[in-house]
Amino acid sequence: MMVLKHKNIEKEFTFDRTTQYILCIENAAFLRKIIFQMTSNPEENDFLLYEKDKEQKFDKNVYFIENPLNLIIDEKKLNTTIQKDVATSIDSTENEKYLMLLNEINDYLESISYDYPLRLSYDSDMALQTFLKNFSLSYEPEKENMLGSLSEQIKILSEIFKFRVFVFLNLFDFMMEEELLSFLEEMKRQEVDVLILSTHFPSYKIPDVFIVRIDQDLCELHIDSNS
């Protein structure tokens, strides 16, 4: 269970996936500071992240999303990570198959280069990851609607890049009520934690929500929908 703390916010966000947290900040200066700390050098960050009382690296576990309609993932980094994961996850049987395939490729290269007027060489011991890169093994996104695409991108960020907590800015401004509830349920299925950072209250009711409101005077108010 992840716990997110901030030195200037009394409430601790304990992500148990039974409560949806909204951090509503109405003070513009404090909001700017929060967003800056979400995206800047971790050394200047007032946030602390814990799991089982052990501090975790904030920048390695928390991903800030300002605009869910324009979430850009580094495709080159993604595909390199996928190739590495596939290459390191094969068992001994699959490794033997690859070595046999590599021998066949070497034999073929030897046969087509034997009569060439110049002396040729090639990589006869190509690593599997290099082999996969040369064949452009890569992620192929499905053509989905906005919610499906966003859910797929979150899956990539959590399963491939190992982010644990996702902070969305004004998420409910981009989704209808039914869409948001469906998306939050999907996040639970993916076992990722979500914090909605907002400049205002949602226009519709979100079940099992806990709102931390920081007003213009930096007064902190706690609003629990269950009470």
Side-chain angles (χ1 to χ4, degrees), residues 83-126:
Q83 293 156 9
K84 180 181 179 181
D85 287 347
V86 172
T88 56
S89 64
I90 64 170
D91 57 23
S92 58
T93 300
E94 293 300 325
N95 187 58
E96 289 179 5
K97 290 180 180 179
Y98 172 66
L99 294 178
M100 291 174 62
L101 174 62
L102 193 59
N103 285 333
E104 292 182 13
I105 293 174
N106 287 335
D107 290 342
Y108 175 73
L109 291 174
E110 182 72 24
S111 67
I112 63 175
S113 61
Y114 181 78
D115 292 328
Y116 195 76
L118 299 178
R119 185 172 182 177
L120 303 178
S121 65
Y122 50 87
D123 185 1
S124 60
D125 296 315
M126 184 183 298

Side-chain angles (χ1 to χ4, degrees), residues 50-62:
Y50 292 90
E51 184 178 26
K52 297 180 180 179
D53 297 324
K54 182 178 180 181
E55 186 174 353
Q56 307 293 316
K57 288 188 176 182
F58 182 90
D59 60 322
K60 299 294 185 183
N61 290 278
V62 180

Side-chain angles (χ1 to χ4, degrees), residues 150-182:
L150 181 58
S151 298
E152 184 75 6
Q153 289 171 313
I154 298 301
K155 184 178 181 180
I156 291 170
L157 290 167
S158 62
E159 294 193 7
I160 305 301
F161 296 120
K162 309 304 181 184
F163 286 99
R164 308 280 299 281
V165 179
F166 293 86
V167 181
F168 292 87
L169 181 62
N170 287 331
L171 180 62
F172 39 74
D173 288 347
F174 296 91
M175 299 181 183
M176 303 295 288
E177 180 177 358
E178 297 80 7
E179 292 175 326
L180 179 64
L181 298 181
S182 175

Side-chain angles (χ1 to χ4, degrees), residues 10-227:
E10 177 184 343
K11 175 64 179 177
E12 298 178 357
F13 300 96
T14 303
F15 298 107
D16 56 9
R17 302 196 182 97
T18 60
T19 301
Q20 178 57 56
Y21 289 105
I22 297 177
L23 174 57
C24 180
I25 303 179
E26 299 171 355
N27 183 286
F30 189 52
L31 177 65
R32 287 198 307 269
K33 183 178 180 180
I34 289 290
I35 294 176
F36 176 77
Q37 292 179 342
M38 286 279 184
T39 57
S40 68
N41 192 316
E43 296 179 357
E44 301 177 8
N45 198 343
D46 290 332
F47 282 100
L48 295 173
L49 185 68
Y50 292 90
E51 184 178 26
K52 297 180 180 179
D53 297 324
K54 182 178 180 181
E55 186 174 353
Q56 307 293 316
K57 288 188 176 182
F58 182 90
D59 60 322
K60 299 294 185 183
N61 290 278
V62 180
Y63 196 93
F64 178 74
I65 300 174
E66 183 176 3
N67 182 1
L69 299 179
N70 189 33
L71 179 54
I72 300 175
I73 296 177
D74 187 334
E75 290 188 8
K76 182 177 180 180
K77 183 178 180 181
L78 169 61
N79 292 330
T80 298
T81 303
I82 290 173
Q83 293 156 9
K84 180 181 179 181
D85 287 347
V86 172
T88 56
S89 64
I90 64 170
D91 57 23
S92 58
T93 300
E94 293 300 325
N95 187 58
E96 289 179 5
K97 290 180 180 179
Y98 172 66
L99 294 178
M100 291 174 62
L101 174 62
L102 193 59
N103 285 333
E104 292 182 13
I105 293 174
N106 287 335
D107 290 342
Y108 175 73
L109 291 174
E110 182 72 24
S111 67
I112 63 175
S113 61
Y114 181 78
D115 292 328
Y116 195 76
L118 299 178
R119 185 172 182 177
L120 303 178
S121 65
Y122 50 87
D123 185 1
S124 60
D125 296 315
M126 184 183 298
L128 177 56
Q129 184 176 344
T130 304
F131 180 85
L132 298 176
K133 179 180 179 181
N134 289 338
F135 273 84
S136 301
L137 182 71
S138 58
Y139 164 70
E140 183 175 358
E142 297 182 12
K143 294 182 179 180
E144 300 183 89
N145 57 25
M146 178 262 185
L147 288 181
S149 296
L150 181 58
S151 298
E152 184 75 6
Q153 289 171 313
I154 298 301
K155 184 178 181 180
I156 291 170
L157 290 167
S158 62
E159 294 193 7
I160 305 301
F161 296 120
K162 309 304 181 184
F163 286 99
R164 308 280 299 281
V165 179
F166 293 86
V167 181
F168 292 87
L169 181 62
N170 287 331
L171 180 62
F172 39 74
D173 288 347
F174 296 91
M175 299 181 183
M176 303 295 288
E177 180 177 358
E178 297 80 7
E179 292 175 326
L180 179 64
L181 298 181
S182 175
F183 177 73
L184 293 176
E185 283 299 316
E186 176 61 26
M187 295 301 95
K188 290 181 181 179
R189 283 192 289 271
Q190 292 191 24
E191 298 184 345
V192 299
D193 298 318
V194 171
L195 171 65
I196 300 177
L197 176 62
S198 173
T199 58
H200 56 85
F201 277 80
S203 59
Y204 46 79
K205 184 178 179 181
I206 302 174
D208 301 318
V209 69
F210 192 102
I211 302 176
V212 177
R213 178 188 178 191
I214 311 292
D215 67 13
Q216 293 286 358
D217 299 320
L218 296 178
C219 177
E220 181 174 334
L221 303 174
H222 297 169
I223 304 168
D224 187 350
S225 65
N226 294 326
S227 60

